[in-house]
Amino acid sequence: MSSTPKTLVIGTLAVHAPAIAAAALDPTFHVKLNQDALSLIGHSREVVERAASSGQRVYGLNTLLGSGRDTAVEEKSILAYQIQVVRYHNSGVGPYLDRSAARAVILARLIGFSRGGSGVRPETASFYAELLNRGVFPAIPREGSVGSSDLTQLAAVAAVALGEGEAFDADGTLVPGAKALADAGLQPLRLAPGEALALVSANAYSVGAGTLALVRLQQLAELADVALSLSLETIARYDDGGNLSPFSPAIQAAKAVDGQRESAAAVRRLLSGGWLEDIRPEVSVQDALSFRAAPQTHGAFRALVSQLGAALNVELNGRGDNPLADVESGLMVSGGNFQPMQLALSFEGLRLALAHVGISSERRIAKLYPPQRAIRAKHLQAATSESGLAQEELPGLLWYSAAGLLAELKFLAAPATLGAPTLSADVEDHSTLAPLALQQLEKSLDAAEKLLTIEALTASYLLLEAGAARPLGKGTGAVVGRLADVLTDRPSAPDLVERARRELREALVVDSLVVAAPADRFAANRGAAAREVAQAEGGGTW
């Protein structure tokens, strides 16, 4: 029995970043522009055609670009100029984007067409939908954009649409763009006046790949609370710590910090049903700040993740084209909406927040080291010439690896957006460097995931060593159960951390460990996004 195809029907209603990420990550999604979107795209094209027939000077339609903005293009050369624009901008370098990121770029640009400001023809927008539907995978170099439109990345897509450039076939082999189109049953696109600039002048890389980063950040926010909860369980057993008063509703209600209440509530849910909920006279009056103030740190991070989602939604639903084919006025209007400053600064702030999350995690790992040392001493004392030394399940210096990862997080937290040079004869004298800020954020995400995984592994190992005399919380117990199998296999340290990352990711996504309470705004937003995806799977319209 075949399953119903997943379909994203793109209309003119608002779109949301998590649902875009879901469609980009799943190559089986079918994309369709509904009649409302096609009609609006058609109206925006009419604006371009009226401007072209009037003879008025319009940037990129009948003039050169950048410093050549006031140099006219002869009418007989306008169609050839479309090809030149694409070839000229197809200048990116570096490694290619993976399939999900490439799909995200194409999808983000297609949604941009549907907003009605680009002036492309409906058939051009539909062609981009078919690139997605037929599995065309353009080879898009990662580097080359300074964040005032992702020109080089989008030119790599446009080149393939024209039957030029390069793409990956089903086996992952680089092939000419013309062959990729032919294999997909598509004829090369022929551009109309003004379409070349519309294809390349947008921030679809920063926006599209940004939606993928958003999903990972949302998962990492939950992972941080899982690692914290495991460490609370551990210090309760080894050091009379694990005081839960900082996570109480009374404390969280006393200060309105976005995300803080959600983080504390997540910890309480993970620990519910366990020993830490009991009254313990011996418990420390208060734990170190890496435990006690963790809701404040994790909550601030959650708030910035929500702000990134809002910034991405602004870009997805806005018209960032220059010139703007303004349907309401019927005019081609020059502007600067291609400058995604809010988005770039969101990427910047999140790297700083990740460094703070990492600082707290590394300090908690340090406090879990004395019990590990005691266990090693016990193993050494028990070793004899006949029995040998027992092999431990946890590599002894993972704390040092965590410290190295923290140093990387601190380095990556430095500003990325302030270094843009002046380009194009001083006409383009400011850029956002949003792509660089995003790429640095992706590196920070990798480092933070590994660091939090090390914390979760370390705490789980110590909890397993402590035995089952005192029950774990329902959530923390489920995590320890998953990681126990990984630890028992005693893989190498790199394999251990990578396997644990996969297990933790599955625990968060499949097991839904951090279940949203009604007041959990952050998780509720994720639930809303999931409902959007479910609606899209049934052919829902945006």
Side-chain angles (χ1 to χ4, degrees):
M1 181 177 173
S2 60
S3 60
T4 304
K6 303 171 185 176
T7 303
L8 288 178
V9 182
I10 302 173
T12 56
L13 300 179
V15 298
H16 300 281
I20 302 308
L25 288 164
D26 186 348
T28 66
F29 264 94
H30 187 85
V31 178
K32 180 182 178 182
L33 292 161
N34 75 3
Q35 192 54 50
D36 289 342
L38 290 170
S39 177
L40 181 56
I41 293 168
H43 290 319
S44 74
R45 181 63 198 172
E46 291 169 3
V47 174
V48 175
E49 291 176 351
R50 282 197 300 270
S53 62
S54 73
Q56 74 177 96
R57 191 172 55 175
V58 178
Y59 180 75
L61 175 62
N62 48 26
T63 76
L64 298 180
L65 302 174
S67 59
R69 64 198 183 281
D70 292 321
T71 302
V73 177
E74 295 183 24
E75 186 173 353
K76 66 181 180 66
S77 302
I78 285 180
L79 291 181
Y81 181 54
Q82 306 309 304
I83 298 173
Q84 185 182 70
V85 167
V86 173
R87 290 175 177 172
Y88 177 79
H89 288 93
N90 189 16
S91 305
V93 298
Y96 296 114
L97 301 183
D98 63 23
R99 182 179 290 274
S100 295
R103 283 178 56 83
V105 170
I106 300 170
L107 183 55
R109 191 64 200 113
L110 177 60
I111 289 169
F113 296 155
S114 76
R115 303 300 95 177
S118 67
V120 299
R121 296 167 297 161
E123 53 263 43
T124 299
S126 296
F127 189 92
Y128 267 53
E130 286 306 302
L131 290 178
L132 292 166
N133 294 338
R134 303 193 188 200
V136 178
F137 178 8
I140 306 175
R142 188 168 178 266
E143 298 158 5
S145 172
V146 296
S148 296
S149 289
D150 298 327
L151 300 168
T152 58
Q153 287 92 349
L154 286 171
V157 177
V160 172
L162 297 182
E164 300 184 1
E166 290 184 307
F168 293 100
D169 66 12
D171 298 325
T173 302
L174 269 178
V175 298
K179 183 179 187 308
L181 291 183
D183 290 346
L186 293 171
Q187 294 292 322
L189 183 64
R190 294 179 179 272
L191 297 182
E195 285 193 312
L197 181 59
L199 295 186
V200 304
S201 183
N203 297 289
Y205 166 58
S206 300
V207 175
T211 67
L212 303 180
L214 175 67
V215 172
R216 290 182 63 193
L217 287 159
Q218 290 173 332
Q219 292 175 355
L220 189 135
E222 296 179 352
L223 174 60
D225 291 332
V226 168
L228 166 63
S229 299
L230 290 167
S231 291
L232 282 164
E233 295 266 28
T234 306
I235 63 166
R237 283 156 176 80
Y238 287 91
D239 195 30
D240 290 333
N243 189 322
L244 296 189
S245 67
F247 304 88
S248 66
I251 289 293
Q252 301 313 312
K255 190 174 181 182
V257 176
D258 285 345
Q260 178 180 319
R261 288 186 295 274
E262 288 89 339
S263 176
V267 171
R268 293 197 304 272
R269 288 192 296 274
L270 286 159
L271 297 174
S272 66
W275 173 60
L276 264 66
E277 290 185 319
D278 296 342
I279 296 174
R280 293 178 290 136
E282 74 281 5
V283 69
S284 175
V285 173
Q286 55 184 30
D287 296 319
L289 286 171
S290 56
F291 293 91
R292 183 168 23 119
Q296 287 74 14
T297 301
H298 293 186
F301 171 66
R302 281 172 173 257
L304 288 177
V305 173
S306 295
Q307 288 174 25
L308 173 60
L312 286 166
N313 289 342
V314 166
E315 296 296 331
L316 284 165
N317 293 291
R319 293 175 293 163
D321 307 274
N322 182 46
L324 173 69
D326 185 45
V327 173
E328 185 174 350
S329 68
L331 300 175
M332 297 290 290
V333 186
S334 179
N337 282 341
F338 56 84
Q339 200 86 326
M341 200 70 242
Q342 180 187 10
L343 181 61
L345 293 177
S346 290
F347 293 148
E348 293 273 65
L350 276 161
R351 297 199 314 279
L352 190 59
L354 279 171
H356 280 285
V357 170
I359 290 169
S360 293
S361 177
E362 187 276 337
R363 285 296 81 203
R364 293 193 296 267
I365 293 169
K367 291 169 179 60
L368 303 183
Y369 188 71
Q372 295 175 68
R373 188 168 53 204
I375 292 168
R376 281 196 300 276
K378 182 179 68 175
H379 287 172
L380 184 60
Q381 187 176 18
T384 66
S385 56
E386 291 80 17
S387 62
L389 181 65
Q391 183 179 353
E392 293 161 19
E393 295 176 344
L394 188 76
L397 283 184
L398 278 183
W399 175 24
Y400 282 42
S401 294
L405 290 165
L406 175 58
E408 183 180 357
L409 281 169
K410 291 178 179 179
F411 174 80
L412 290 167
T417 58
L418 300 180
T422 294
L423 300 168
S424 195
D426 205 30
V427 172
E428 297 168 4
D429 56 357
H430 180 260
S431 298
T432 68
L433 287 180
L436 177 60
L438 168 61
Q439 290 160 7
Q440 297 294 84
L441 176 58
E442 291 168 340
K443 294 177 183 177
S444 291
L445 265 166
D446 283 336
E449 283 178 356
K450 292 174 188 174
L451 177 52
L452 290 165
T453 298
I454 290 172
E455 181 182 358
L457 275 168
T458 303
S460 294
Y461 166 72
L462 291 171
L463 290 169
L464 289 165
E465 287 285 330
R470 292 163 174 167
L472 297 170
K474 293 177 182 177
T476 48
V479 176
V480 172
R482 277 184 172 272
L483 296 184
D485 293 337
V486 180
L487 287 162
T488 301
D489 289 344
R490 294 183 173 86
S492 64
D495 189 36
L496 173 67
V497 171
E498 188 54 39
R499 286 179 58 186
R501 283 175 77 183
R502 291 196 298 268
E503 286 291 338
L504 288 164
R505 194 176 299 123
E506 187 173 342
L508 291 169
V509 175
V510 178
D511 296 349
S512 299
L513 283 177
V514 185
V515 180
D520 189 336
R521 177 185 49 79
F522 179 89
N525 286 342
R526 290 191 65 198
R531 288 191 292 275
E532 288 173 356
V533 174
Q535 181 188 33
E537 290 176 355
T541 302
W542 289 345

